Amino acid sequence: MLLSGRGSNFQAIAEARLPIEIVAVISNRPQAAGLDYARARDLPAFAFDHTEHPDREAFDALLAEEVERHRPDLVLLAGYMRILSPAFITRFEGRLMNIHPSLLPMFPGLNTHERALAEGVKIHGCTVHFVTANLDHGPIVIQAAVPVRADDTPGALSARVLAQEHCIYPQAVRWFAEGRLEINHGRVNLRGDSTSQSVLSTGM
Ligand code: GAR
């Protein structure tokens, strides 16, 4: 688990009674609240401060070594707010997942809720995807959509989306743990899915 801050997605996964063991929680920011939560649950927590390693490639190489040391089957980005180098992504390709607060491919990058409001979209949401070298791009595992209301603020919209993040990320991890995710030509097939369970829409 790689994170940079609050760690609410990490908490949702940790509390979802999934058939997984969280082998390490690593933050590039030593003060991340997610690390405190990990320590409170006796999960192995590590601060790996990027400001001590100004060179991104060098930092990511060390980070990759640290991640490998814990022998994870899956590496989760849960609010990890640093662009990863192509070498890191290639090393973990197919076992590197991210959650992003928009319906990708719309609104990659930052400030997704502000941008959704500025565009006047009527539907917004979140996406769990496998990570590729393109920022916030890659085979989509599951998405959840929420309505955008006329009087929405970025904060209100963000809270509505975050509640859905906490549903879909644990679900995606469960599917991975059950061996149900198959990447084929850049798309994710969910084995045994005849009902398109990989779309959630709430309050529409
Ligand atoms: C979440 O909204 C997540 O989707 C977003 O950061 C937040 C982290 O919250 N991630 C990105 O924007 C990645 N591009 P959390 O620390 O409470 O899980």
Side-chain angles (χ1 to χ4, degrees), residues 5-10 78-81 98-101 109 136 162 165:
R6 181 175 57 182
S8 71
N9 277 288
F10 154 49
Y80 184 72
M81 302 308 278
N98 182 42
I99 184 139
H100 183 76
D136 295 327
L162 190 65
E165 295 186 33

Side-chain angles (χ1 to χ4, degrees), residues 56-58 60-61 64 84-93 96 133:
R56 183 184 304 276
E57 272 69 33
D60 278 7
L84 288 163
S85 60
F88 186 100
I89 292 169
T90 304
R91 188 159 171 175
F92 294 100
E93 195 152 0
L96 184 58

Side-chain angles (χ1 to χ4, degrees), residues 3-11 34 77-81 98-102 108-113 126-127 129 135-136 158 161-162 165-166 169:
L3 51 78
S4 301
R6 181 175 57 182
S8 71
N9 277 288
F10 154 49
Q11 289 188 37
L77 306 181
Y80 184 72
M81 302 308 278
N98 182 42
I99 184 139
H100 183 76
S102 78
L110 298 174
N111 304 319
T112 56
H113 309 304
C126 47
T127 303
H129 65 99
L135 178 69
D136 295 327
S158 158
V161 170
L162 190 65
E165 295 186 33
H166 297 163
Y169 214 178

